[in-house]
Coordinates of all heavy atoms in Angstrom, one line a residue:
M1 N 2.6 -15.9 -27.0 CA 1.6 -15.0 -27.4 C 1.8 -13.5 -27.1 O 2.2 -13.3 -25.8 CB 0.2 -15.5 -27.0 CG -0.1 -16.9 -27.4 SD -1.6 -17.5 -26.5 CE -2.8 -16.5 -27.5
L2 N 1.7 -12.6 -27.9 CA 2.0 -11.1 -27.5 C 0.5 -10.4 -27.4 O -0.2 -10.6 -28.2 CB 2.9 -10.6 -28.6 CG 4.2 -11.0 -28.7 CD1 4.9 -10.3 -29.8 CD2 5.0 -10.9 -27.4
F3 N 0.5 -9.6 -26.2 CA -0.7 -8.8 -26.0 C -0.2 -7.4 -25.7 O 0.7 -7.1 -25.0 CB -1.4 -9.4 -24.9 CG -2.0 -10.7 -25.1 CD1 -1.4 -12.0 -24.7 CD2 -3.2 -10.9 -25.6 CE1 -1.8 -13.1 -25.0 CE2 -3.9 -12.1 -25.9 CZ -3.0 -13.2 -25.5
H4 N -0.9 -6.5 -26.3 CA -0.7 -5.0 -26.0 C -1.7 -4.8 -24.9 O -3.0 -5.1 -25.1 CB -1.0 -4.1 -27.3 CG -1.2 -2.8 -27.1 ND1 -2.2 -2.1 -26.5 CD2 -0.2 -1.8 -27.4 CE1 -1.9 -0.7 -26.5 NE2 -0.8 -0.6 -27.1
V5 N -1.4 -4.2 -23.8 CA -2.3 -4.0 -22.6 C -2.1 -2.5 -22.3 O -1.0 -2.0 -22.2 CB -1.9 -4.8 -21.5 CG1 -2.8 -4.5 -20.4 CG2 -2.0 -6.3 -21.9
R6 N -3.2 -1.8 -22.2 CA -3.3 -0.4 -21.7 C -3.9 -0.5 -20.3 O -4.9 -1.1 -20.0 CB -4.1 0.4 -22.5 CG -4.1 1.9 -22.0 CD -4.9 2.9 -22.8 NE -5.2 4.1 -22.1 CZ -4.9 5.3 -22.6 NH1 -4.7 5.4 -24.0 NH2 -5.1 6.4 -21.9
M7 N -3.3 0.1 -19.4 CA -3.8 0.1 -18.0 C -4.0 1.6 -17.5 O -3.0 2.4 -17.5 CB -2.8 -0.5 -17.0 CG -2.4 -2.0 -17.2 SD -1.2 -2.6 -16.2 CE -0.4 -3.9 -17.2
N8 N -5.1 2.0 -17.3 CA -5.4 3.3 -16.6 C -5.5 3.1 -15.2 O -6.5 2.2 -14.8 CB -6.8 3.9 -17.2 CG -6.6 4.2 -18.7 OD1 -5.6 4.2 -19.3 ND2 -7.9 4.3 -19.3
V9 N -5.0 3.8 -14.4 CA -5.1 3.7 -12.9 C -5.8 4.8 -12.3 O -5.6 6.0 -12.6 CB -3.5 3.6 -12.3 CG1 -3.7 3.3 -10.8 CG2 -2.6 2.7 -12.9
N10 N -6.7 4.4 -11.5 CA -7.6 5.4 -10.8 C -7.6 5.1 -9.2 O -8.5 4.4 -8.9 CB -9.0 5.3 -11.3 CG -9.2 5.8 -12.7 OD1 -8.9 7.1 -13.0 ND2 -9.4 5.0 -13.6
L11 N -6.6 5.6 -8.5 CA -6.6 5.5 -7.1 C -7.8 6.4 -6.5 O -7.7 7.6 -6.9 CB -5.3 5.7 -6.5 CG -4.2 4.6 -6.8 CD1 -3.0 5.2 -6.2 CD2 -4.6 3.3 -6.4
P12 N -8.5 5.9 -5.6 CA -9.5 6.8 -4.9 C -8.7 8.0 -4.2 O -7.8 7.7 -3.6 CB -10.3 6.0 -4.0 CG -9.7 4.6 -4.0 CD -8.6 4.6 -5.1
T13 N -9.3 9.2 -4.3 CA -8.7 10.2 -3.7 C -8.7 10.2 -2.2 O -7.9 10.7 -1.4 CB -9.3 11.6 -4.1 OG1 -10.8 11.4 -3.7 CG2 -9.1 12.0 -5.4
S14 N -9.7 9.3 -1.7 CA -9.9 9.0 -0.2 C -8.8 8.0 0.3 O -8.7 7.9 1.5 CB -11.2 8.5 0.1 OG -11.4 7.4 -0.7
M15 N -8.0 7.3 -0.6 CA -7.0 6.5 -0.1 C -5.9 7.2 0.6 O -5.2 8.1 0.1 CB -6.4 5.6 -1.2 CG -5.3 4.6 -0.8 SD -4.8 3.6 -2.3 CE -6.3 2.5 -2.5
P16 N -5.4 6.7 1.9 CA -4.4 7.3 2.5 C -3.1 7.2 1.8 O -2.8 6.3 1.0 CB -4.3 6.5 3.9 CG -5.5 6.0 4.1 CD -6.1 5.7 2.7
A17 N -2.2 8.3 1.9 CA -1.0 8.4 1.0 C -0.1 7.3 1.3 O 0.6 6.7 0.3 CB -0.4 9.7 1.3
D18 N 0.0 6.8 2.5 CA 0.9 5.7 2.9 C 0.4 4.4 2.3 O 1.1 3.5 1.8 CB 1.2 5.5 4.3 CG -0.2 5.4 5.1 OD1 -1.1 5.7 4.6 OD2 0.0 4.9 6.2
E19 N -0.9 4.1 2.3 CA -1.5 3.0 1.5 C -1.2 3.0 0.0 O -0.8 2.0 -0.5 CB -3.0 2.9 1.9 CG -3.7 1.5 1.4 CD -5.2 1.7 1.8 OE1 -5.6 2.4 2.6 OE2 -5.9 0.8 1.1
A20 N -1.4 4.3 -0.5 CA -1.2 4.3 -1.9 C 0.2 4.0 -2.3 O 0.7 3.4 -3.3 CB -1.6 5.7 -2.4
A21 N 1.2 4.7 -1.5 CA 2.6 4.3 -1.7 C 3.0 2.9 -1.6 O 3.9 2.4 -2.3 CB 3.5 5.3 -0.7
Q22 N 2.5 2.2 -0.6 CA 2.8 0.8 -0.3 C 2.2 0.0 -1.6 O 2.9 -0.9 -2.1 CB 2.1 0.2 1.0 CG 2.3 -1.2 1.2 CD 3.8 -1.5 1.3 OE1 4.5 -0.7 2.1 NE2 4.3 -2.5 0.6
L23 N 1.0 0.4 -2.0 CA 0.5 -0.4 -3.2 C 1.5 -0.2 -4.4 O 1.8 -1.2 -5.1 CB -1.0 0.2 -3.6 CG -2.1 -0.6 -3.1 CD1 -3.4 0.3 -3.5 CD2 -2.1 -2.0 -3.7
K24 N 1.9 1.1 -4.6 CA 2.8 1.3 -5.8 C 4.0 0.6 -5.8 O 4.6 0.1 -6.7 CB 2.9 2.9 -6.0 CG 1.7 3.6 -6.4 CD 2.0 5.1 -6.4 CE 0.6 5.9 -6.6 NZ 0.9 7.3 -6.6
Q25 N 4.6 0.5 -4.5 CA 5.8 -0.3 -4.3 C 5.5 -1.8 -4.5 O 6.4 -2.4 -5.2 CB 6.3 0.0 -2.9 CG 7.6 -0.7 -2.5 CD 8.8 -0.3 -3.5 OE1 8.7 1.0 -3.9 NE2 9.7 -1.1 -3.8
T26 N 4.5 -2.3 -4.2 CA 4.3 -3.7 -4.3 C 4.1 -4.0 -5.8 O 4.5 -5.0 -6.4 CB 3.0 -4.2 -3.5 OG1 3.2 -3.7 -2.2 CG2 2.8 -5.6 -3.5
E27 N 3.4 -3.1 -6.5 CA 3.1 -3.3 -7.9 C 4.5 -3.2 -8.6 O 4.7 -4.0 -9.7 CB 2.2 -2.0 -8.3 CG 1.9 -2.0 -9.9 CD 0.7 -2.8 -10.2 OE1 0.0 -3.3 -9.3 OE2 0.5 -2.9 -11.4
K28 N 5.3 -2.3 -8.3 CA 6.6 -2.1 -8.9 C 7.4 -3.4 -8.9 O 8.1 -3.9 -9.8 CB 7.4 -1.0 -8.3 CG 8.8 -0.7 -8.9 CD 9.4 0.5 -8.2 CE 10.7 0.9 -8.9 NZ 11.4 2.2 -8.3
E29 N 7.6 -3.9 -7.7 CA 8.2 -5.2 -7.4 C 7.7 -6.4 -8.1 O 8.4 -7.1 -8.9 CB 8.3 -5.6 -5.8 CG 9.1 -4.7 -5.0 CD 8.9 -4.6 -3.6 OE1 8.1 -5.6 -3.2 OE2 9.4 -3.7 -2.9
F30 N 6.3 -6.4 -8.3 CA 5.6 -7.4 -8.9 C 5.9 -7.3 -10.6 O 6.3 -8.3 -11.2 CB 4.1 -7.4 -8.6 CG 3.3 -8.4 -9.3 CD1 3.1 -9.6 -8.5 CD2 2.7 -8.4 -10.5 CE1 2.3 -10.6 -9.2 CE2 1.9 -9.4 -11.1 CZ 1.8 -10.6 -10.3
S31 N 5.8 -6.2 -11.0 CA 6.0 -5.9 -12.5 C 7.5 -6.0 -12.8 O 7.9 -6.6 -13.9 CB 5.4 -4.6 -12.9 OG 6.4 -3.5 -12.4
Q32 N 8.3 -5.7 -12.0 CA 9.8 -5.9 -12.4 C 10.2 -7.3 -12.3 O 11.0 -7.8 -13.1 CB 10.7 -5.1 -11.3 CG 10.5 -3.5 -11.6 CD 11.4 -2.7 -10.9 OE1 12.0 -3.0 -9.8 NE2 11.6 -1.4 -11.5
R33 N 9.6 -8.1 -11.4 CA 9.8 -9.7 -11.4 C 9.4 -10.2 -12.8 O 10.0 -11.0 -13.4 CB 9.1 -10.2 -10.3 CG 9.3 -11.7 -10.3 CD 8.8 -12.5 -9.0 NE 7.4 -12.3 -8.9 CZ 6.4 -13.0 -9.3 NH1 6.8 -13.9 -10.2 NH2 5.2 -12.9 -9.1
L34 N 8.1 -9.8 -13.2 CA 7.7 -10.4 -14.4 C 8.4 -9.8 -15.7 O 8.6 -10.6 -16.6 CB 6.1 -9.8 -14.6 CG 5.3 -10.5 -13.7 CD1 3.8 -9.9 -13.9 CD2 5.1 -11.9 -14.0
Q35 N 9.0 -8.6 -15.5 CA 9.9 -8.0 -16.5 C 11.2 -8.9 -16.6 O 11.6 -9.3 -17.8 CB 10.2 -6.5 -16.4 CG 9.0 -5.6 -16.7 CD 9.3 -4.2 -16.3 OE1 10.0 -3.5 -17.0 NE2 8.7 -3.7 -15.3
R36 N 11.7 -9.3 -15.6 CA 13.0 -10.0 -15.5 C 12.6 -11.5 -16.1 O 13.5 -12.0 -16.7 CB 13.5 -10.1 -14.1 CG 14.3 -8.8 -13.7 CD 15.1 -9.1 -12.5 NE 14.1 -9.2 -11.3 CZ 13.7 -8.0 -10.6 NH1 14.1 -6.9 -10.8 NH2 12.9 -8.3 -9.6
E37 N 11.5 -11.9 -15.8 CA 11.1 -13.2 -16.3 C 10.8 -13.2 -17.8 O 10.5 -14.3 -18.4 CB 9.8 -13.8 -15.6 CG 10.3 -14.1 -14.1 CD 9.1 -14.6 -13.2 OE1 7.9 -14.6 -13.8 OE2 9.2 -14.7 -12.0
G38 N 10.6 -12.1 -18.3 CA 10.3 -12.0 -19.7 C 8.9 -12.0 -20.2 O 8.5 -12.0 -21.3
K39 N 8.0 -12.1 -19.0 CA 6.6 -12.1 -19.3 C 6.1 -10.7 -19.7 O 5.1 -10.5 -20.4 CB 5.9 -12.6 -18.0 CG 6.3 -14.0 -17.7 CD 5.5 -14.9 -18.5 CE 5.9 -16.5 -18.1 NZ 5.3 -17.5 -19.1
W40 N 6.8 -9.7 -19.0 CA 6.2 -8.4 -19.3 C 7.3 -7.7 -20.0 O 8.3 -7.2 -19.5 CB 5.9 -7.6 -17.9 CG 5.3 -6.4 -17.9 CD1 5.3 -5.3 -18.8 CD2 4.4 -5.8 -16.8 NE1 4.5 -4.3 -18.5 CE2 3.9 -4.6 -17.3 CE3 3.9 -6.4 -15.6 CZ2 2.9 -3.9 -16.3 CZ3 3.1 -5.7 -14.8 CH2 2.5 -4.4 -15.2
R41 N 7.2 -7.8 -21.4 CA 8.3 -7.4 -22.3 C 8.7 -5.9 -22.3 O 9.8 -5.5 -22.4 CB 7.9 -7.8 -23.6 CG 9.0 -8.6 -24.1 CD 8.9 -8.8 -25.6 NE 8.8 -10.1 -26.1 CZ 8.7 -10.5 -27.4 NH1 8.9 -9.5 -28.4 NH2 8.6 -11.7 -27.6
H42 N 7.5 -5.2 -22.2 CA 7.9 -3.6 -22.3 C 6.8 -2.9 -21.4 O 5.7 -3.4 -21.3 CB 7.8 -3.0 -23.7 CG 8.7 -3.6 -24.7 ND1 10.0 -3.2 -24.7 CD2 8.7 -4.4 -25.7 CE1 10.8 -3.8 -25.6 NE2 9.9 -4.6 -26.2
L43 N 7.3 -1.7 -20.9 CA 6.4 -0.9 -20.0 C 6.7 0.5 -20.2 O 7.7 1.0 -20.0 CB 6.6 -1.4 -18.5 CG 6.0 -0.5 -17.5 CD1 4.5 -0.5 -17.5 CD2 6.4 -0.9 -16.1
W44 N 5.6 1.2 -20.8 CA 5.8 2.7 -21.0 C 4.8 3.3 -20.3 O 3.5 3.1 -20.2 CB 5.6 3.0 -22.5 CG 6.7 2.5 -23.4 CD1 7.9 2.9 -23.8 CD2 6.7 1.3 -24.2 NE1 8.5 2.3 -24.7 CE2 7.8 1.1 -24.9 CE3 5.6 0.2 -24.3 CZ2 8.0 0.1 -25.8 CZ3 6.0 -0.9 -25.2 CH2 7.1 -0.8 -26.0
R45 N 5.1 4.5 -19.8 CA 4.2 5.5 -19.2 C 3.6 6.3 -20.5 O 4.2 6.7 -21.4 CB 4.9 6.5 -18.2 CG 4.0 7.7 -17.9 CD 3.0 7.2 -16.9 NE 3.5 6.8 -15.5 CZ 2.9 5.7 -15.0 NH1 1.8 5.2 -15.5 NH2 3.2 5.4 -13.7
I46 N 2.3 6.5 -20.4 CA 1.6 7.4 -21.4 C 1.9 8.8 -20.9 O 1.3 9.2 -19.7 CB 0.1 6.9 -21.5 CG1 0.0 5.5 -22.0 CG2 -0.5 7.9 -22.5 CD1 -1.4 4.9 -22.0
A47 N 2.5 9.6 -21.7 CA 2.9 11.0 -21.2 C 1.5 11.7 -20.8 O 0.5 11.7 -21.5 CB 3.5 11.7 -22.3
G48 N 1.6 12.3 -19.6 CA 0.5 13.2 -19.1 C -0.5 12.4 -18.5 O -1.6 13.1 -18.2
Q49 N -0.5 11.1 -18.3 CA -1.6 10.4 -17.8 C -1.1 9.4 -16.8 O 0.0 9.0 -16.9 CB -2.3 9.5 -18.8 CG -2.9 10.3 -19.9 CD -3.6 9.6 -21.1 OE1 -4.2 8.6 -20.7 NE2 -3.6 10.0 -22.3
Y50 N -2.0 9.0 -15.7 CA -1.7 7.9 -14.9 C -2.0 6.7 -15.6 O -3.1 6.0 -15.2 CB -2.2 8.1 -13.5 CG -1.7 7.2 -12.4 CD1 -0.6 6.3 -12.7 CD2 -2.3 7.1 -11.2 CE1 -0.1 5.5 -11.7 CE2 -1.8 6.2 -10.2 CZ -0.8 5.4 -10.4 OH -0.3 4.6 -9.4
A51 N -1.2 6.3 -16.6 CA -1.6 5.1 -17.4 C -0.4 4.6 -18.1 O 0.6 5.3 -18.2 CB -2.7 5.5 -18.4
N52 N -0.4 3.2 -18.4 CA 0.8 2.7 -19.1 C 0.4 1.9 -20.4 O -0.8 1.5 -20.4 CB 1.6 1.9 -18.2 CG 1.0 0.6 -17.8 OD1 0.9 -0.2 -18.6 ND2 0.5 0.6 -16.6
V53 N 1.3 1.7 -21.3 CA 1.0 0.9 -22.3 C 2.1 -0.2 -22.1 O 3.3 0.2 -22.0 CB 1.1 1.6 -23.7 CG1 1.4 0.4 -24.8 CG2 0.0 2.3 -23.9
S54 N 1.7 -1.5 -22.1 CA 2.7 -2.6 -21.9 C 2.6 -3.7 -23.1 O 1.5 -3.8 -23.7 CB 2.3 -3.2 -20.5 OG 2.6 -2.4 -19.6
L55 N 3.7 -4.5 -23.1 CA 3.7 -5.6 -24.0 C 3.9 -6.9 -23.3 O 4.8 -6.9 -22.5 CB 4.7 -5.5 -25.2 CG 4.6 -6.4 -26.3 CD1 3.3 -6.0 -27.1 CD2 5.8 -6.4 -27.2
F56 N 2.9 -7.7 -23.1 CA 3.1 -9.1 -22.4 C 3.4 -10.1 -23.5 O 2.8 -10.2 -24.5 CB 1.8 -9.3 -21.6 CG 1.7 -8.6 -20.4 CD1 1.2 -7.2 -20.5 CD2 2.0 -9.1 -19.2 CE1 1.2 -6.4 -19.2 CE2 1.9 -8.4 -18.0 CZ 1.3 -7.0 -18.1
D57 N 4.3 -11.1 -23.0 CA 4.7 -12.3 -23.8 C 4.3 -13.4 -23.0 O 5.1 -13.9 -22.1 CB 6.0 -12.2 -24.3 CG 6.5 -13.3 -25.0 OD1 5.7 -14.2 -25.5 OD2 7.6 -13.2 -25.6
V58 N 3.1 -14.1 -23.1 CA 2.6 -15.1 -22.2 C 2.3 -16.5 -23.1 O 2.2 -16.2 -24.3 CB 1.5 -14.6 -21.4 CG1 1.9 -13.7 -20.3 CG2 0.4 -14.1 -22.3
D59 N 2.0 -17.4 -22.4 CA 1.8 -18.7 -23.1 C 0.4 -18.8 -23.6 O -0.1 -19.6 -24.4 CB 2.1 -19.9 -22.2 CG 3.7 -19.9 -22.1 OD1 4.4 -19.5 -22.9 OD2 4.1 -20.5 -21.0
S60 N -0.6 -18.0 -22.9 CA -2.0 -18.2 -23.0 C -2.9 -17.0 -22.6 O -2.3 -16.3 -21.8 CB -2.5 -19.4 -22.4 OG -2.5 -19.3 -21.0
V61 N -4.0 -17.0 -23.0 CA -4.9 -15.8 -22.6 C -5.2 -16.0 -21.1 O -5.4 -15.1 -20.4 CB -6.1 -15.8 -23.4 CG1 -7.2 -14.8 -22.9 CG2 -6.0 -15.7 -24.9
D62 N -5.3 -17.3 -20.7 CA -5.6 -17.5 -19.4 C -4.3 -17.1 -18.4 O -4.6 -16.6 -17.3 CB -5.7 -19.0 -19.0 CG -7.1 -19.6 -19.6 OD1 -8.0 -18.7 -19.7 OD2 -7.3 -20.9 -19.7
E63 N -3.2 -17.2 -19.0 CA -2.0 -16.8 -18.1 C -2.1 -15.3 -18.1 O -1.7 -14.7 -17.0 CB -0.7 -17.3 -18.8 CG 0.4 -16.8 -18.0 CD 1.8 -17.2 -18.6 OE1 1.9 -17.6 -19.8 OE2 2.9 -17.0 -17.7
L64 N -2.3 -14.6 -19.1 CA -2.5 -13.2 -19.1 C -3.5 -12.7 -18.1 O -3.2 -11.9 -17.3 CB -2.9 -12.6 -20.5 CG -2.9 -11.0 -20.6 CD1 -1.6 -10.5 -20.5 CD2 -3.6 -10.7 -21.9
H65 N -4.6 -13.3 -18.2 CA -5.7 -13.0 -17.2 C -5.3 -13.2 -15.8 O -5.5 -12.4 -14.9 CB -6.9 -13.8 -17.6 CG -8.1 -13.4 -16.7 ND1 -8.8 -12.3 -16.8 CD2 -8.6 -14.1 -15.5 CE1 -9.8 -12.2 -15.8 NE2 -9.7 -13.4 -15.1
A66 N -4.6 -14.2 -15.5 CA -4.1 -14.5 -14.1 C -3.1 -13.4 -13.7 O -3.0 -12.9 -12.6 CB -3.5 -15.9 -14.0
L67 N -2.1 -13.1 -14.7 CA -1.2 -12.0 -14.4 C -1.9 -10.7 -14.0 O -1.5 -10.0 -13.0 CB -0.1 -11.9 -15.4 CG 0.8 -13.2 -15.6 CD1 1.8 -12.9 -16.7 CD2 1.5 -13.5 -14.3
L68 N -2.7 -10.3 -15.0 CA -3.3 -9.1 -14.8 C -4.2 -8.9 -13.6 O -4.2 -7.9 -12.9 CB -4.2 -8.6 -16.1 CG -3.3 -8.4 -17.3 CD1 -4.4 -8.2 -18.5 CD2 -2.4 -7.2 -17.2
T69 N -4.9 -9.9 -13.3 CA -5.8 -9.9 -12.0 C -5.0 -10.1 -10.7 O -5.5 -9.7 -9.8 CB -6.9 -10.9 -12.3 OG1 -6.3 -12.2 -12.3 CG2 -7.8 -10.6 -13.5
A70 N -3.8 -10.5 -10.8 CA -3.0 -10.5 -9.6 C -2.3 -9.2 -9.3 O -1.6 -9.2 -8.3 CB -2.0 -11.7 -9.9
L71 N -2.3 -8.3 -10.3 CA -1.6 -7.0 -10.0 C -2.1 -6.2 -8.8 O -3.5 -6.3 -8.7 CB -1.8 -6.1 -11.3 CG -1.0 -6.5 -12.5 CD1 -1.5 -5.6 -13.7 CD2 0.5 -6.6 -12.3
P72 N -1.2 -5.8 -7.9 CA -1.9 -5.2 -6.7 C -2.8 -4.0 -7.0 O -3.6 -3.7 -6.2 CB -0.5 -4.7 -6.0 CG 0.5 -5.7 -6.5 CD 0.2 -6.0 -7.8
L73 N -2.4 -3.4 -8.2 CA -3.2 -2.2 -8.5 C -4.5 -2.6 -9.3 O -5.3 -1.7 -9.6 CB -2.4 -1.1 -9.2 CG -1.5 -0.3 -8.5 CD1 -0.5 0.6 -9.4 CD2 -2.2 0.6 -7.4
F74 N -4.7 -3.8 -9.6 CA -5.8 -4.3 -10.4 C -7.1 -3.8 -10.0 O -8.0 -3.3 -10.9 CB -5.8 -5.7 -10.7 CG -6.8 -6.4 -11.6 CD1 -6.8 -6.2 -12.9 CD2 -8.0 -6.8 -10.9 CE1 -7.8 -6.6 -13.7 CE2 -9.1 -7.2 -11.7 CZ -9.0 -7.1 -13.2
P75 N -7.5 -3.7 -8.8 CA -8.8 -3.4 -8.4 C -9.0 -1.9 -8.7 O -10.2 -1.4 -8.7 CB -8.9 -3.6 -6.8 CG -7.7 -4.5 -6.6 CD -6.8 -4.3 -7.6
Y76 N -7.9 -1.1 -9.0 CA -7.9 0.3 -9.3 C -7.9 0.7 -10.8 O -7.4 1.8 -11.1 CB -7.2 1.2 -8.3 CG -7.3 0.7 -7.0 CD1 -6.4 -0.1 -6.2 CD2 -8.5 1.3 -6.2 CE1 -6.6 -0.5 -4.9 CE2 -8.6 0.8 -4.9 CZ -7.7 0.1 -4.3 OH -8.1 -0.4 -3.0
M77 N -7.8 -0.5 -11.6 CA -7.4 -0.2 -13.0 C -8.5 -0.5 -13.9 O -9.3 -1.3 -13.6 CB -6.2 -1.2 -13.4 CG -4.9 -0.9 -12.9 SD -3.8 -2.1 -13.3 CE -2.1 -1.5 -13.0
Q78 N -8.4 0.2 -15.0 CA -9.3 -0.1 -16.1 C -8.2 -0.7 -17.2 O -7.2 -0.1 -17.4 CB -9.9 1.1 -16.8 CG -10.7 0.8 -18.1 CD -11.0 2.1 -18.8 OE1 -10.9 3.3 -18.3 NE2 -11.6 2.0 -20.0
V79 N -8.6 -1.9 -17.6 CA -7.5 -2.6 -18.3 C -8.0 -2.9 -19.8 O -9.2 -3.4 -19.9 CB -7.1 -3.9 -17.8 CG1 -6.0 -4.6 -18.6 CG2 -6.5 -3.5 -16.5
E80 N -7.4 -2.5 -20.8 CA -7.8 -3.0 -22.2 C -6.7 -3.7 -22.8 O -5.5 -3.5 -22.6 CB -7.9 -1.6 -23.1 CG -9.1 -0.7 -22.7 CD -8.9 0.6 -23.4 OE1 -8.2 0.6 -24.5 OE2 -9.6 1.5 -23.0
V81 N -7.1 -4.9 -23.4 CA -6.1 -5.8 -24.1 C -6.4 -6.1 -25.5 O -7.6 -6.1 -26.0 CB -6.4 -7.2 -23.4 CG1 -5.5 -8.3 -24.1 CG2 -6.1 -7.1 -21.9
M82 N -5.3 -6.1 -26.3 CA -5.3 -6.4 -27.6 C -4.4 -7.5 -28.0 O -3.2 -7.4 -27.7 CB -4.9 -5.2 -28.5 CG -6.0 -4.1 -28.8 SD -5.4 -3.0 -29.9 CE -4.4 -1.9 -29.1
A83 N -4.9 -8.5 -28.6 CA -4.0 -9.6 -29.1 C -3.3 -9.3 -30.2 O -3.9 -8.6 -31.2 CB -4.9 -10.9 -29.3
L84 N -2.0 -9.6 -30.3 CA -1.2 -9.2 -31.4 C -0.6 -10.5 -32.1 O -0.4 -11.6 -31.6 CB 0.0 -8.5 -30.9 CG -0.3 -7.2 -30.1 CD1 1.1 -6.6 -29.5 CD2 -1.0 -6.3 -31.0
C85 N -0.5 -10.3 -33.5 CA 0.1 -11.4 -34.3 C 1.0 -10.8 -35.1 O 1.2 -9.6 -35.3 CB -0.9 -12.2 -35.0 SG -1.9 -11.5 -36.1
R86 N 2.0 -11.6 -35.8 CA 3.1 -11.1 -36.6 C 2.6 -10.5 -37.8 O 1.7 -10.9 -38.5 CB 3.9 -12.3 -36.8 CG 5.2 -12.0 -37.6 CD 6.0 -13.2 -37.8 NE 7.3 -12.8 -38.6 CZ 8.3 -12.1 -38.3 NH1 8.3 -11.6 -37.1 NH2 9.2 -11.8 -39.0
H87 N 3.2 -9.3 -38.1 CA 2.8 -8.6 -39.4 C 3.7 -9.1 -40.4 O 5.0 -9.4 -40.2 CB 3.1 -7.1 -39.2 CG 2.6 -6.4 -40.2 ND1 3.1 -6.2 -41.5 CD2 1.5 -5.4 -40.4 CE1 2.4 -5.4 -42.3 NE2 1.4 -4.9 -41.7
P88 N 3.2 -9.4 -41.6 CA 4.0 -10.1 -42.7 C 5.2 -9.2 -43.0 O 6.3 -9.6 -43.7 CB 3.1 -10.2 -43.8 CG 1.9 -9.5 -43.4 CD 1.9 -9.3 -42.1
S89 N 5.2 -7.9 -42.8 CA 6.3 -7.0 -43.2 C 7.3 -6.7 -42.1 O 8.3 -6.0 -42.3 CB 5.8 -5.7 -43.7 OG 4.9 -5.8 -44.8
S90 N 7.1 -7.3 -41.0 CA 7.9 -7.0 -39.8 C 9.4 -7.6 -40.1 O 9.4 -8.8 -40.5 CB 7.3 -7.7 -38.5 OG 8.3 -7.6 -37.5
I91 N 10.4 -6.9 -39.5 CA 11.8 -7.5 -39.7 C 12.2 -8.0 -38.4 O 13.3 -8.4 -38.4 CB 12.8 -6.4 -40.2 CG1 12.8 -5.2 -39.3 CG2 12.3 -6.0 -41.5 CD1 14.0 -4.3 -39.4
H92 N 11.4 -8.0 -37.5 CA 11.8 -8.5 -36.1 C 11.2 -9.9 -35.9 O 10.1 -10.3 -35.8 CB 11.1 -7.7 -35.1 CG 11.5 -6.1 -35.1 ND1 12.9 -5.8 -34.8 CD2 10.8 -5.0 -35.6 CE1 12.9 -4.5 -35.1 NE2 11.8 -4.0 -35.6
E93 N 12.2 -10.9 -35.8 CA 11.9 -12.3 -35.7 C 11.1 -12.6 -34.4 O 10.4 -13.6 -34.3 CB 13.1 -13.1 -35.7 CG 14.0 -13.0 -37.1 CD 13.0 -13.5 -38.3 OE1 12.3 -14.5 -38.0 OE2 13.0 -12.9 -39.3
D94 N 11.2 -11.8 -33.4 CA 10.6 -12.2 -32.1 C 9.2 -11.5 -32.0 O 8.5 -11.5 -30.9 CB 11.5 -11.7 -31.0 CG 11.8 -10.2 -30.9 OD1 11.5 -9.5 -32.0 OD2 12.4 -9.7 -29.8
D95 N 8.6 -11.0 -33.1 CA 7.3 -10.5 -33.1 C 6.2 -11.5 -33.2 O 5.4 -11.5 -34.1 CB 7.2 -9.5 -34.3 CG 7.7 -8.1 -34.1 OD1 8.3 -7.9 -33.1 OD2 7.7 -7.4 -35.0
R96 N 6.2 -12.3 -32.3 CA 5.3 -13.4 -32.2 C 5.1 -14.1 -30.9 O 5.9 -13.7 -30.0 CB 5.5 -14.5 -33.4 CG 6.8 -15.2 -33.1 CD 6.9 -16.2 -34.1 NE 8.2 -15.9 -34.9 CZ 9.4 -16.4 -34.6 NH1 9.5 -17.3 -33.6 NH2 10.5 -16.2 -35.3
Ligands
LIG1 O1 2.0 3.2 -12.8 C1 1.4 2.5 -13.5 O2 1.1 2.6 -14.6 C2 0.9 1.1 -12.8 C3 2.0 0.2 -12.9 C4 2.2 -0.9 -13.6 C5 3.5 -1.7 -13.4 C6 3.9 -0.7 -12.4 O3 5.0 -0.9 -11.7 O4 3.1 0.2 -12.2

C-alpha cells in the first residue's frame, strides 16, 4: 500500500542545539534504514521549508502509523497522510 506523507517539522527554539542535532542524526539513521528496507520509497525536501514529502510502501495503515509514530522527530512534527491507489493511465507497474 502506498501513502503520500507530508511532514512539517517544528523544533522548539528553546531546544539546545546539541539535542536537536542528536535528534536529527537519529532520525536520519532511522529513515535511511527504512529506505534501504523499501518501506520509505522516496524522501524529498520541500524547497524553502523544514518539511518533506515522502512516499511510504507498507503492508497496512497500522504499519504506517507504527512507523510514523516511532520517528524520533514525531513529537515535533505535523503529519498529513494521503492513501494512494493506482491511476488507470499510469505506465509504472509498481504504482500500487
Ligand atoms: O528533515 C526532515 O524533513 C525530517 C526527516 C525525515 C526523515 C529524515 O531523515 O529527516
Side-chain angles (χ1 to χ4, degrees):
M1 301 173 73
L2 295 179
F3 293 91
H4 173 285
V5 179
R6 177 182 175 135
M7 304 176 204
N8 296 340
V9 187
N10 290 296
L11 288 178
T13 52
S14 59
M15 181 179 284
D18 57 341
E19 187 181 337
Q22 182 60 51
L23 261 179
K24 290 176 188 177
Q25 181 60 30
T26 311
E27 178 88 7
K28 181 176 184 173
E29 291 164 11
F30 188 88
S31 74
Q32 290 188 338
R33 177 170 62 79
L34 292 175
Q35 288 173 69
R36 282 190 289 271
E37 292 172 1
K39 298 281 180 193
W40 196 324
R41 234 198 243 186
H42 295 287
L43 169 61
W44 293 274
R45 174 65 73 219
I46 300 176
Q49 298 181 35
Y50 190 8
N52 72 71
V53 164
S54 292
L55 195 69
F56 282 80
D57 186 353
V58 292
D59 294 332
S60 66
V61 179
D62 286 340
E63 182 182 12
L64 179 69
H65 182 74
L67 292 180
L68 293 176
T69 56
L71 293 174
L73 285 174
F74 180 76
Y76 308 102
M77 282 176 173
Q78 177 197 353
V79 181
E80 293 172 13
V81 174
M82 280 189 281
L84 304 176
C85 57
R86 186 172 172 75
H87 192 288
S89 304
S90 174
I91 62 167
H92 300 287
E93 292 302 322
D94 61 348
D95 280 357
R96 62 183 117 91

